[in-house]
Structure formats: structure tokens, C-alpha cells
PDB file of all heavy atoms in Angstrom:
ATOM      1  N   ALA U   1     226.027 -29.993 -65.787  1.00 98.00           N
ATOM      2  CA  ALA U   1     226.428 -29.193 -64.623  1.00 98.00           C
ATOM      3  C   ALA U   1     226.284 -27.717 -64.909  1.00 98.00           C
ATOM      4  O   ALA U   1     225.697 -26.965 -64.003  1.00 98.00           O
ATOM      5  CB  ALA U   1     228.060 -29.260 -64.290  1.00 98.00           C
ATOM      6  N   ASN U   2     226.354 -27.149 -66.086  1.00 97.00           N
ATOM      7  CA  ASN U   2     226.020 -25.803 -66.433  1.00 97.00           C
ATOM      8  C   ASN U   2     224.473 -25.604 -66.293  1.00 97.00           C
ATOM      9  O   ASN U   2     224.098 -24.513 -65.761  1.00 97.00           O
ATOM     10  CB  ASN U   2     226.540 -25.503 -67.818  1.00 97.00           C
ATOM     11  CG  ASN U   2     226.316 -24.112 -68.053  1.00 97.00           C
ATOM     12  OD1 ASN U   2     226.715 -23.191 -67.267  1.00 97.00           O
ATOM     13  ND2 ASN U   2     225.914 -23.853 -69.417  1.00 97.00           N
ATOM     14  N   LEU U   3     223.734 -26.561 -66.777  1.00 97.00           N
ATOM     15  CA  LEU U   3     222.245 -26.305 -66.661  1.00 97.00           C
ATOM     16  C   LEU U   3     221.900 -26.298 -65.271  1.00 97.00           C
ATOM     17  O   LEU U   3     220.915 -25.613 -64.846  1.00 97.00           O
ATOM     18  CB  LEU U   3     221.495 -27.489 -67.437  1.00 97.00           C
ATOM     19  CG  LEU U   3     221.513 -27.280 -68.933  1.00 97.00           C
ATOM     20  CD1 LEU U   3     220.894 -28.538 -69.557  1.00 97.00           C
ATOM     21  CD2 LEU U   3     220.961 -26.066 -69.347  1.00 97.00           C
ATOM     22  N   LEU U   4     222.451 -27.179 -64.383  1.00 98.00           N
ATOM     23  CA  LEU U   4     222.095 -27.190 -62.937  1.00 98.00           C
ATOM     24  C   LEU U   4     222.342 -25.810 -62.288  1.00 98.00           C
ATOM     25  O   LEU U   4     221.605 -25.367 -61.476  1.00 98.00           O
ATOM     26  CB  LEU U   4     222.893 -28.343 -62.127  1.00 98.00           C
ATOM     27  CG  LEU U   4     222.462 -29.694 -62.542  1.00 98.00           C
ATOM     28  CD1 LEU U   4     223.535 -30.745 -62.089  1.00 98.00           C
ATOM     29  CD2 LEU U   4     221.123 -30.065 -61.807  1.00 98.00           C
ATOM     30  N   LEU U   5     223.425 -25.214 -62.659  1.00 97.00           N
ATOM     31  CA  LEU U   5     223.740 -23.976 -62.113  1.00 97.00           C
ATOM     32  C   LEU U   5     222.963 -22.807 -62.638  1.00 97.00           C
ATOM     33  O   LEU U   5     222.722 -21.765 -61.956  1.00 97.00           O
ATOM     34  CB  LEU U   5     225.250 -23.661 -62.194  1.00 97.00           C
ATOM     35  CG  LEU U   5     226.241 -24.614 -61.464  1.00 97.00           C
ATOM     36  CD1 LEU U   5     227.705 -24.244 -61.715  1.00 97.00           C
ATOM     37  CD2 LEU U   5     225.887 -24.665 -60.084  1.00 97.00           C
ATOM     38  N   HIS U   6     222.579 -22.796 -63.914  1.00 97.00           N
ATOM     39  CA  HIS U   6     222.147 -21.628 -64.586  1.00 97.00           C
ATOM     40  C   HIS U   6     220.633 -21.767 -65.060  1.00 97.00           C
ATOM     41  O   HIS U   6     220.233 -21.082 -65.939  1.00 97.00           O
ATOM     42  CB  HIS U   6     223.017 -21.332 -65.702  1.00 97.00           C
ATOM     43  CG  HIS U   6     224.335 -20.947 -65.319  1.00 97.00           C
ATOM     44  ND1 HIS U   6     224.675 -19.904 -64.630  1.00 97.00           N
ATOM     45  CD2 HIS U   6     225.531 -21.736 -65.522  1.00 97.00           C
ATOM     46  CE1 HIS U   6     226.053 -19.823 -64.350  1.00 97.00           C
ATOM     47  NE2 HIS U   6     226.502 -21.000 -64.884  1.00 97.00           N
ATOM     48  N   SER U   7     219.954 -22.678 -64.602  1.00 97.00           N
ATOM     49  CA  SER U   7     218.551 -22.985 -64.941  1.00 97.00           C
ATOM     50  C   SER U   7     217.755 -23.512 -63.835  1.00 97.00           C
ATOM     51  O   SER U   7     218.401 -23.917 -62.704  1.00 97.00           O
ATOM     52  CB  SER U   7     218.427 -23.971 -66.154  1.00 97.00           C
ATOM     53  OG  SER U   7     218.481 -25.244 -65.697  1.00 97.00           O
ATOM     54  N   ASP U   8     216.502 -23.366 -63.918  1.00 95.00           N
ATOM     55  CA  ASP U   8     215.632 -24.020 -62.730  1.00 95.00           C
ATOM     56  C   ASP U   8     214.965 -25.290 -63.257  1.00 95.00           C
ATOM     57  O   ASP U   8     214.007 -25.823 -62.608  1.00 95.00           O
ATOM     58  CB  ASP U   8     214.471 -23.050 -62.445  1.00 95.00           C
ATOM     59  CG  ASP U   8     215.038 -21.749 -61.731  1.00 95.00           C
ATOM     60  OD1 ASP U   8     216.099 -21.814 -61.091  1.00 95.00           O
ATOM     61  OD2 ASP U   8     214.453 -20.618 -61.905  1.00 95.00           O
ATOM     62  N   GLN U   9     215.583 -25.898 -64.292  1.00 97.00           N
ATOM     63  CA  GLN U   9     215.000 -27.131 -64.801  1.00 97.00           C
ATOM     64  C   GLN U   9     215.107 -28.250 -63.678  1.00 97.00           C
ATOM     65  O   GLN U   9     216.021 -28.294 -62.937  1.00 97.00           O
ATOM     66  CB  GLN U   9     215.701 -27.623 -66.048  1.00 97.00           C
ATOM     67  CG  GLN U   9     215.560 -26.646 -67.245  1.00 97.00           C
ATOM     68  CD  GLN U   9     216.263 -27.203 -68.335  1.00 97.00           C
ATOM     69  OE1 GLN U   9     216.268 -28.406 -68.620  1.00 97.00           O
ATOM     70  NE2 GLN U   9     216.888 -26.405 -69.221  1.00 97.00           N
ATOM     71  N   LYS U  10     214.171 -29.319 -63.790  1.00 97.00           N
ATOM     72  CA  LYS U  10     214.263 -30.405 -62.853  1.00 97.00           C
ATOM     73  C   LYS U  10     215.462 -31.248 -63.306  1.00 97.00           C
ATOM     74  O   LYS U  10     215.848 -31.206 -64.519  1.00 97.00           O
ATOM     75  CB  LYS U  10     212.890 -31.217 -63.037  1.00 97.00           C
ATOM     76  CG  LYS U  10     211.755 -30.484 -62.555  1.00 97.00           C
ATOM     77  CD  LYS U  10     210.524 -31.327 -62.779  1.00 97.00           C
ATOM     78  CE  LYS U  10     209.296 -30.636 -62.237  1.00 97.00           C
ATOM     79  NZ  LYS U  10     208.092 -31.475 -62.445  1.00 97.00           N
ATOM     80  N   VAL U  11     215.977 -32.098 -62.452  1.00 97.00           N
ATOM     81  CA  VAL U  11     217.096 -32.869 -62.742  1.00 97.00           C
ATOM     82  C   VAL U  11     216.890 -33.904 -63.841  1.00 97.00           C
ATOM     83  O   VAL U  11     217.687 -34.165 -64.644  1.00 97.00           O
ATOM     84  CB  VAL U  11     217.643 -33.558 -61.426  1.00 97.00           C
ATOM     85  CG1 VAL U  11     218.658 -34.595 -61.792  1.00 97.00           C
ATOM     86  CG2 VAL U  11     218.162 -32.559 -60.445  1.00 97.00           C
ATOM     87  N   ILE U  12     215.610 -34.490 -63.856  1.00 97.00           N
ATOM     88  CA  ILE U  12     215.288 -35.317 -64.777  1.00 97.00           C
ATOM     89  C   ILE U  12     215.187 -34.753 -66.203  1.00 97.00           C
ATOM     90  O   ILE U  12     215.752 -35.357 -67.222  1.00 97.00           O
ATOM     91  CB  ILE U  12     213.977 -36.118 -64.569  1.00 97.00           C
ATOM     92  CG1 ILE U  12     213.796 -37.314 -65.499  1.00 97.00           C
ATOM     93  CG2 ILE U  12     212.762 -35.110 -64.678  1.00 97.00           C
ATOM     94  CD1 ILE U  12     212.701 -38.302 -65.127  1.00 97.00           C
ATOM     95  N   ASP U  13     214.792 -33.560 -66.411  1.00 97.00           N
ATOM     96  CA  ASP U  13     214.840 -32.804 -67.663  1.00 97.00           C
ATOM     97  C   ASP U  13     216.233 -32.468 -68.031  1.00 97.00           C
ATOM     98  O   ASP U  13     216.490 -32.622 -69.255  1.00 97.00           O
ATOM     99  CB  ASP U  13     213.916 -31.594 -67.505  1.00 97.00           C
ATOM    100  CG  ASP U  13     212.517 -31.762 -67.262  1.00 97.00           C
ATOM    101  OD1 ASP U  13     212.038 -32.896 -67.806  1.00 97.00           O
ATOM    102  OD2 ASP U  13     211.937 -31.041 -66.609  1.00 97.00           O
ATOM    103  N   ILE U  14     217.078 -32.178 -67.117  1.00 97.00           N
ATOM    104  CA  ILE U  14     218.478 -31.903 -67.362  1.00 97.00           C
ATOM    105  C   ILE U  14     219.190 -33.172 -67.924  1.00 97.00           C
ATOM    106  O   ILE U  14     219.987 -33.200 -68.913  1.00 97.00           O
ATOM    107  CB  ILE U  14     219.173 -31.309 -66.221  1.00 97.00           C
ATOM    108  CG1 ILE U  14     218.605 -29.810 -65.985  1.00 97.00           C
ATOM    109  CG2 ILE U  14     220.720 -31.279 -66.407  1.00 97.00           C
ATOM    110  CD1 ILE U  14     219.234 -29.151 -64.734  1.00 97.00           C
ATOM    111  N   ALA U  15     218.865 -34.269 -67.227  1.00 96.00           N
ATOM    112  CA  ALA U  15     219.483 -35.529 -67.652  1.00 96.00           C
ATOM    113  C   ALA U  15     219.096 -35.875 -69.013  1.00 96.00           C
ATOM    114  O   ALA U  15     219.998 -36.250 -69.903  1.00 96.00           O
ATOM    115  CB  ALA U  15     218.969 -36.789 -66.757  1.00 96.00           C
ATOM    116  N   TYR U  16     217.833 -35.825 -69.455  1.00 95.00           N
ATOM    117  CA  TYR U  16     217.530 -36.057 -70.835  1.00 95.00           C
ATOM    118  C   TYR U  16     218.053 -35.072 -71.835  1.00 95.00           C
ATOM    119  O   TYR U  16     218.371 -35.337 -72.947  1.00 95.00           O
ATOM    120  CB  TYR U  16     215.962 -36.286 -70.903  1.00 95.00           C
ATOM    121  CG  TYR U  16     215.490 -37.492 -70.286  1.00 95.00           C
ATOM    122  CD1 TYR U  16     214.485 -37.488 -69.329  1.00 95.00           C
ATOM    123  CD2 TYR U  16     216.059 -38.664 -70.552  1.00 95.00           C
ATOM    124  CE1 TYR U  16     214.045 -38.538 -68.583  1.00 95.00           C
ATOM    125  CE2 TYR U  16     215.668 -39.824 -69.880  1.00 95.00           C
ATOM    126  CZ  TYR U  16     214.690 -39.735 -68.893  1.00 95.00           C
ATOM    127  OH  TYR U  16     214.182 -40.895 -68.304  1.00 95.00           O
ATOM    128  N   ALA U  17     218.037 -33.745 -71.428  1.00 94.00           N
ATOM    129  CA  ALA U  17     218.579 -32.720 -72.281  1.00 94.00           C
ATOM    130  C   ALA U  17     220.109 -32.904 -72.588  1.00 94.00           C
ATOM    131  O   ALA U  17     220.563 -32.437 -73.655  1.00 94.00           O
ATOM    132  CB  ALA U  17     218.369 -31.398 -71.654  1.00 94.00           C
ATOM    133  N   SER U  18     220.734 -33.536 -71.576  1.00 94.00           N
ATOM    134  CA  SER U  18     222.180 -33.728 -71.749  1.00 94.00           C
ATOM    135  C   SER U  18     222.564 -35.059 -72.491  1.00 94.00           C
ATOM    136  O   SER U  18     223.580 -35.491 -72.633  1.00 94.00           O
ATOM    137  CB  SER U  18     222.799 -33.943 -70.366  1.00 94.00           C
ATOM    138  OG  SER U  18     222.511 -32.645 -69.686  1.00 94.00           O
ATOM    139  N   GLY U  19     221.491 -35.887 -72.869  1.00 92.00           N
ATOM    140  CA  GLY U  19     221.670 -36.919 -73.790  1.00 92.00           C
ATOM    141  C   GLY U  19     221.722 -38.250 -73.051  1.00 92.00           C
ATOM    142  O   GLY U  19     222.013 -39.336 -73.704  1.00 92.00           O
ATOM    143  N   PHE U  20     221.361 -38.273 -71.716  1.00 93.00           N
ATOM    144  CA  PHE U  20     221.314 -39.436 -71.019  1.00 93.00           C
ATOM    145  C   PHE U  20     219.879 -40.131 -71.215  1.00 93.00           C
ATOM    146  O   PHE U  20     218.962 -39.489 -71.234  1.00 93.00           O
ATOM    147  CB  PHE U  20     221.524 -39.322 -69.564  1.00 93.00           C
ATOM    148  CG  PHE U  20     222.937 -38.978 -69.172  1.00 93.00           C
ATOM    149  CD1 PHE U  20     223.399 -37.561 -69.235  1.00 93.00           C
ATOM    150  CD2 PHE U  20     223.929 -39.933 -68.888  1.00 93.00           C
ATOM    151  CE1 PHE U  20     224.794 -37.318 -69.041  1.00 93.00           C
ATOM    152  CE2 PHE U  20     225.219 -39.719 -68.713  1.00 93.00           C
ATOM    153  CZ  PHE U  20     225.729 -38.301 -68.691  1.00 93.00           C
ATOM    154  N   GLN U  21     220.029 -41.502 -71.330  1.00 90.00           N
ATOM    155  CA  GLN U  21     218.830 -42.179 -71.595  1.00 90.00           C
ATOM    156  C   GLN U  21     218.048 -42.589 -70.384  1.00 90.00           C
ATOM    157  O   GLN U  21     216.781 -43.030 -70.424  1.00 90.00           O
ATOM    158  CB  GLN U  21     219.020 -43.502 -72.454  1.00 90.00           C
ATOM    159  CG  GLN U  21     219.687 -43.102 -73.768  1.00 90.00           C
ATOM    160  CD  GLN U  21     218.822 -42.116 -74.552  1.00 90.00           C
ATOM    161  OE1 GLN U  21     217.702 -42.358 -74.763  1.00 90.00           O
ATOM    162  NE2 GLN U  21     219.438 -41.109 -75.182  1.00 90.00           N
ATOM    163  N   SER U  22     218.514 -42.514 -69.214  1.00 93.00           N
ATOM    164  CA  SER U  22     217.876 -42.860 -67.854  1.00 93.00           C
ATOM    165  C   SER U  22     218.482 -41.964 -66.839  1.00 93.00           C
ATOM    166  O   SER U  22     219.613 -41.483 -66.806  1.00 93.00           O
ATOM    167  CB  SER U  22     218.090 -44.331 -67.656  1.00 93.00           C
ATOM    168  OG  SER U  22     219.361 -44.576 -66.998  1.00 93.00           O
ATOM    169  N   LEU U  23     217.668 -41.746 -65.804  1.00 95.00           N
ATOM    170  CA  LEU U  23     217.952 -40.786 -64.719  1.00 95.00           C
ATOM    171  C   LEU U  23     219.036 -41.527 -63.840  1.00 95.00           C
ATOM    172  O   LEU U  23     219.882 -40.945 -63.356  1.00 95.00           O
ATOM    173  CB  LEU U  23     216.719 -40.548 -63.963  1.00 95.00           C
ATOM    174  CG  LEU U  23     216.946 -39.594 -62.733  1.00 95.00           C
ATOM    175  CD1 LEU U  23     217.449 -38.161 -63.284  1.00 95.00           C
ATOM    176  CD2 LEU U  23     215.588 -39.282 -61.986  1.00 95.00           C
ATOM    177  N   SER U  24     218.932 -42.864 -63.768  1.00 96.00           N
ATOM    178  CA  SER U  24     219.873 -43.601 -62.788  1.00 96.00           C
ATOM    179  C   SER U  24     221.268 -43.594 -63.433  1.00 96.00           C
ATOM    180  O   SER U  24     222.311 -43.330 -62.787  1.00 96.00           O
ATOM    181  CB  SER U  24     219.483 -45.055 -62.584  1.00 96.00           C
ATOM    182  OG  SER U  24     219.300 -45.737 -63.771  1.00 96.00           O
ATOM    183  N   ARG U  25     221.404 -43.720 -64.788  1.00 95.00           N
ATOM    184  CA  ARG U  25     222.702 -43.608 -65.423  1.00 95.00           C
ATOM    185  C   ARG U  25     223.336 -42.215 -65.246  1.00 95.00           C
ATOM    186  O   ARG U  25     224.539 -42.038 -65.099  1.00 95.00           O
ATOM    187  CB  ARG U  25     222.630 -44.008 -66.806  1.00 95.00           C
ATOM    188  CG  ARG U  25     222.333 -45.473 -67.068  1.00 95.00           C
ATOM    189  CD  ARG U  25     222.460 -45.889 -68.429  1.00 95.00           C
ATOM    190  NE  ARG U  25     223.962 -46.036 -68.726  1.00 95.00           N
ATOM    191  CZ  ARG U  25     224.456 -46.587 -69.880  1.00 95.00           C
ATOM    192  NH1 ARG U  25     223.579 -46.869 -70.716  1.00 95.00           N
ATOM    193  NH2 ARG U  25     225.784 -46.712 -69.924  1.00 95.00           N
ATOM    194  N   PHE U  26     222.482 -41.131 -65.343  1.00 97.00           N
ATOM    195  CA  PHE U  26     222.859 -39.853 -65.168  1.00 97.00           C
ATOM    196  C   PHE U  26     223.412 -39.595 -63.701  1.00 97.00           C
ATOM    197  O   PHE U  26     224.518 -39.008 -63.645  1.00 97.00           O
ATOM    198  CB  PHE U  26     221.707 -38.857 -65.466  1.00 97.00           C
ATOM    199  CG  PHE U  26     222.048 -37.413 -65.143  1.00 97.00           C
ATOM    200  CD1 PHE U  26     222.918 -36.722 -65.705  1.00 97.00           C
ATOM    201  CD2 PHE U  26     221.462 -36.696 -64.131  1.00 97.00           C
ATOM    202  CE1 PHE U  26     223.321 -35.412 -65.530  1.00 97.00           C
ATOM    203  CE2 PHE U  26     221.627 -35.495 -63.817  1.00 97.00           C
ATOM    204  CZ  PHE U  26     222.534 -34.747 -64.433  1.00 97.00           C
ATOM    205  N   TYR U  27     222.612 -40.005 -62.847  1.00 97.00           N
ATOM    206  CA  TYR U  27     223.109 -39.807 -61.371  1.00 97.00           C
ATOM    207  C   TYR U  27     224.394 -40.618 -61.133  1.00 97.00           C
ATOM    208  O   TYR U  27     225.322 -40.021 -60.583  1.00 97.00           O
ATOM    209  CB  TYR U  27     222.026 -40.433 -60.416  1.00 97.00           C
ATOM    210  CG  TYR U  27     221.139 -39.375 -59.944  1.00 97.00           C
ATOM    211  CD1 TYR U  27     219.880 -38.968 -60.544  1.00 97.00           C
ATOM    212  CD2 TYR U  27     221.382 -38.637 -58.733  1.00 97.00           C
ATOM    213  CE1 TYR U  27     219.049 -38.048 -60.072  1.00 97.00           C
ATOM    214  CE2 TYR U  27     220.541 -37.669 -58.267  1.00 97.00           C
ATOM    215  CZ  TYR U  27     219.430 -37.312 -58.884  1.00 97.00           C
ATOM    216  OH  TYR U  27     218.606 -36.399 -58.415  1.00 97.00           O
ATOM    217  N   HIS U  28     224.491 -41.741 -61.597  1.00 97.00           N
ATOM    218  CA  HIS U  28     225.733 -42.454 -61.317  1.00 97.00           C
ATOM    219  C   HIS U  28     226.899 -41.850 -62.021  1.00 97.00           C
ATOM    220  O   HIS U  28     227.984 -41.551 -61.507  1.00 97.00           O
ATOM    221  CB  HIS U  28     225.597 -43.900 -61.962  1.00 97.00           C
ATOM    222  CG  HIS U  28     226.788 -44.804 -61.764  1.00 97.00           C
ATOM    223  ND1 HIS U  28     227.252 -45.301 -60.509  1.00 97.00           N
ATOM    224  CD2 HIS U  28     227.744 -45.210 -62.727  1.00 97.00           C
ATOM    225  CE1 HIS U  28     228.319 -45.992 -60.787  1.00 97.00           C
ATOM    226  NE2 HIS U  28     228.674 -45.924 -61.887  1.00 97.00           N
ATOM    227  N   ALA U  29     226.832 -41.448 -63.300  1.00 97.00           N
ATOM    228  CA  ALA U  29     227.907 -40.760 -64.050  1.00 97.00           C
ATOM    229  C   ALA U  29     228.094 -39.309 -63.400  1.00 97.00           C
ATOM    230  O   ALA U  29     229.417 -39.096 -63.327  1.00 97.00           O
ATOM    231  CB  ALA U  29     227.469 -40.625 -65.541  1.00 97.00           C
TER     232      ALA U  29
END
């Protein structure tokens, strides 16, 4: 959430940087 607000990174890059192994699991969580 902090990266979403304070960076221009793509959502998929944020998901992986946050330790999620898949984009769908990240979106669901």
C-alpha cells in the first residue's frame, strides 16, 4: 500500500517486491 502511494512502480512489480509469489494472490489479499 505504501509503494502504491509513493512510487510509480507497476502493480505487478509491487506485488513481487512485497513478497507475493503471484499477482492473483496479491490482488485477492
Side-chain angles (χ1 to χ4, degrees):
N2 187 44
L3 287 176
L4 285 166
L5 296 180
H6 302 290
S7 78
D8 293 331
Q9 292 182 40
K10 294 178 182 180
V11 173
I12 191 166
D13 295 332
I14 290 172
Y16 291 125
S18 301
F20 288 89
Q21 299 301 314
S22 77
L23 187 59
S24 64
R25 291 190 79 172
F26 171 66
Y27 263 90
H28 179 74

